[in-house]
């Protein structure tokens, strides 16, 4: 999974790259204490392949202010993360902060859910999180008959998912408020929902998830997957709106208003590098290969556990997954404009009061 994610995550990297200016401005805004460590933390780091460059940007910005500043780089993810690969990347990635001049950066692992405090209290000067805070803490138990995604939920199911996402986001922010040093900053980028002036909602990955649900339904119709498993599966991701992102801290009386001050909160469209390449070269097979690989990189683990393990009719989960992503690839190649990945990235930048 980790290698698949690293090989097919140029998209996530494009999102992380847009944050360079915000990282540099955040470092410039935080007071440096000579001889005390400046702590940079990355929450939901995975193997670090994409966030390595963001870490290096932050540390280079610290060292441009004070060449000898001691720095700690704290990498957070779940205990099941591929920590060996993360530290291999720290050691050998050309983008690693290891190569920066100055005293060695102390690398630490924080193997705990980011819904809890994940660093020594009040220690983090710059916290960052890319492509991770949209994952829900728990697998939803509601049914979404018309798809795999919160955006197709209606009635009580829609309310349940929105309530879970609101609670998770508040827990994430409360935990970061505990981690951050006074005056520290937190930059979070995750998938979002853009609400147009006319009220139209643009939900990141909606078309992709609809395509995936249809392919799974086909497999059920062909006797490859149990229909109940397809009916019950929901991807545990929630693309928040700007209003949902601001709810815990924006305005007097909100639960975290005394801890966190808003600097920026916005949803921006992000160009799709796979689609742009197809528009240029017309190579639908290459497009479909890259797109299906990208989708597999971030959905396989959830699909394996919650759709294919309970759903594969012959019990061969790997073969069913290969079949699924093969069908998805065929569908993407047949008609690239039909269901492209569309992204409105939500950026939240706050400071710790
Ligand atoms: C799509 S990857 C993003 C990795 C990296 N930040 C990037 O931008 O490429 C999402 C990561 O979030 C992590 N994650 C999801 N839920 C988490 C949680 N509750 N606590 C810590 N990490 C979590 C996953 O384990 C995974 O490594």
């Amino acid at each position: 999974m980790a290698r698949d994610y690293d090989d097919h995550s140029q998209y996530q990297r494009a999102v992380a790259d847009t944050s360079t200016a915000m990282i540099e401005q955040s470092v410039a805004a935080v007071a440096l204490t000579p001889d005390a460590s400046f702590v940079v933390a990355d929450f939901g780091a995975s193997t670090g392949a994409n966030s390595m460059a963001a870490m290096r940007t932050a540390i280079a910005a610290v060292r441009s202010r004070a060449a000898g500043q001691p720095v700690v780089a704290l990498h957070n993810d779940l205990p099941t993360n591929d920590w060996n690969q993360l530290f291999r990347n720290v050691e050998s990635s050309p983008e690693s902060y290891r190569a920066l001049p100055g005293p060695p950066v102390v690398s630490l692992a924080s193997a705990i859910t980011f819904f809890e405090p994940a660093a020594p209290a009040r220690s983090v000067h710059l916290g960052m999180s890319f492509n991770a805070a949209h994952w829900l803490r728990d697998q939803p138990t509601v049914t979404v008959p018309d798809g795999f995604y919160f955006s197709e939920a209606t009635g009580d199911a829609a309310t349940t998912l929105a309530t879970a996402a609101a609670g998770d986001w508040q827990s994430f922010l409360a935990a970061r408020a505990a981690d951050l040093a006074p005056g520290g900053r937190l930059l979070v980028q995750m998938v979002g929902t853009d609400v147009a002036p006319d009220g139209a909602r643009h939900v990141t990955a909606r078309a992709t998830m609809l395509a995936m649900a249809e392919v799974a339904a086909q497999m059920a119709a062909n006797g490859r997957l149990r229909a109940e498993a397809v009916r019950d599966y929901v991807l545990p991701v929630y693309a928040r709106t700007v209003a949902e992102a601001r709810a815990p801290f924006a305005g007097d009386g909100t639960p975290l208003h005394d801890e966190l001050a808003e600097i920026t909160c916005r949803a921006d469209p992000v160009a799709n590098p796979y689609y742009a390449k197809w528009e240029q070269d017309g190579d639908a097979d290459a497009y479909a290969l890259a797109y299906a690989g990208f989708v597999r990189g971030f959905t396989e683990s959830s699909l394996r556990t919650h759709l294919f393990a309970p759903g594969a009719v012959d019990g061969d989960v790997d073969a069913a997954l290969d079949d699924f992503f093969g069908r998805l690839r065929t569908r993407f190649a047949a008609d690239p404009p039909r269901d492209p990945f569309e992204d409105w990235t939500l950026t939240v930048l706050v400071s710790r009061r």
Side-chain angles (χ1 to χ4, degrees):
M1 150 72 184
R3 191 175 308 111
D4 213 41
Y5 180 74
D6 286 355
D7 288 348
H8 294 288
S9 54
Q10 297 94 331
Y11 198 91
Q12 287 91 337
R13 171 170 305 235
V15 170
D17 285 350
T18 61
S19 53
T20 301
M22 271 183 286
I23 293 171
E24 289 172 345
Q25 285 156 12
S26 297
V27 169
V30 176
L32 298 182
T33 311
D35 300 330
S37 291
F38 188 98
V39 179
V40 185
D42 181 17
F43 299 97
S46 184
T47 57
N50 290 310
S51 31
M52 201 61 72
M55 277 289 205
R56 192 190 51 191
T57 299
I59 295 168
V62 173
R63 290 278 168 79
S64 75
R65 289 180 65 193
Q69 184 77 38
V71 173
V72 168
L74 183 141
H75 305 269
N76 162 265
D77 209 289
L78 294 168
T80 47
N81 188 44
D82 186 348
W83 293 100
N84 286 337
Q85 186 58 42
L86 181 131
F87 286 108
R88 272 196 290 276
N89 284 340
V90 168
E91 280 315 301
S92 57
S93 163
E95 295 188 315
S96 172
Y97 50 79
R98 269 284 171 267
L100 290 172
V105 172
V106 177
S107 306
L108 300 180
S110 156
I112 184 171
T113 175
F114 54 42
F115 295 116
E116 301 289 339
R122 301 184 142 231
S123 68
V124 174
H125 299 96
L126 175 63
M128 303 184 290
S129 180
F130 303 106
N131 306 300
H134 47 241
W135 287 96
L136 298 175
R137 189 196 300 237
D138 298 312
Q139 179 63 28
T141 51
V142 297
T143 302
V144 181
D146 294 327
F148 279 176
Y149 202 30
F150 80 96
S151 51
E152 312 320 314
T154 54
D156 287 350
T159 307
T160 300
L161 290 170
T163 305
D168 285 358
W169 177 232
Q170 191 173 312
S171 299
F172 178 91
L173 289 174
R176 298 299 73 74
D179 295 339
L180 284 170
R185 295 207 168 191
L186 173 68
L187 171 64
V188 183
Q189 288 189 317
M190 55 191 157
V191 302
T193 293
D194 174 65
V195 183
D198 66 359
R201 293 164 81 83
H202 302 124
V203 180
T204 296
R206 185 175 188 183
T208 308
M209 294 311 303
L210 280 167
M212 291 171 76
E214 281 179 28
V215 168
Q218 253 169 32
M219 287 178 69
N222 299 157
R224 294 278 289 139
L225 266 179
R226 292 190 180 87
E228 319 81 75
V230 176
R231 182 199 61 205
D232 292 345
Y233 178 71
V234 179
L235 184 79
V237 164
Y238 190 94
R240 299 180 177 91
T241 63
V242 166
E244 288 170 326
R246 297 178 78 226
F249 55 79
D252 286 343
T254 52
L256 296 172
H257 185 253
D258 291 346
E259 280 88 27
L260 300 176
E262 176 177 342
I263 299 169
T264 301
C265 188
R266 56 168 210 250
D268 299 304
V270 176
N272 176 333
Y274 309 115
Y275 197 78
K277 186 162 183 302
W278 171 74
E279 285 184 311
Q280 250 179 10
D281 65 17
D283 188 340
D285 288 331
Y287 165 76
L289 179 67
Y291 183 13
F294 158 68
V295 172
R296 189 166 188 161
F298 71 88
T299 58
E300 176 170 349
S301 162
S302 168
L303 290 170
R304 174 183 290 280
T305 309
H306 299 289
L307 175 60
F308 288 93
V313 169
D314 60 6
D316 190 340
V317 174
D318 286 313
L321 271 163
D322 287 344
D323 184 5
F324 175 78
F325 284 105
R327 290 173 188 236
L328 199 63
R329 182 178 156 188
T330 303
R331 175 177 167 131
F332 292 156
D335 190 359
R338 183 174 172 190
D339 25 47
F341 185 81
E342 295 176 296
D343 178 19
W344 288 268
T345 286
L346 186 58
T347 298
V348 180
L349 178 61
V350 292
S351 67
R352 179 71 167 95
R353 293 187 200 270

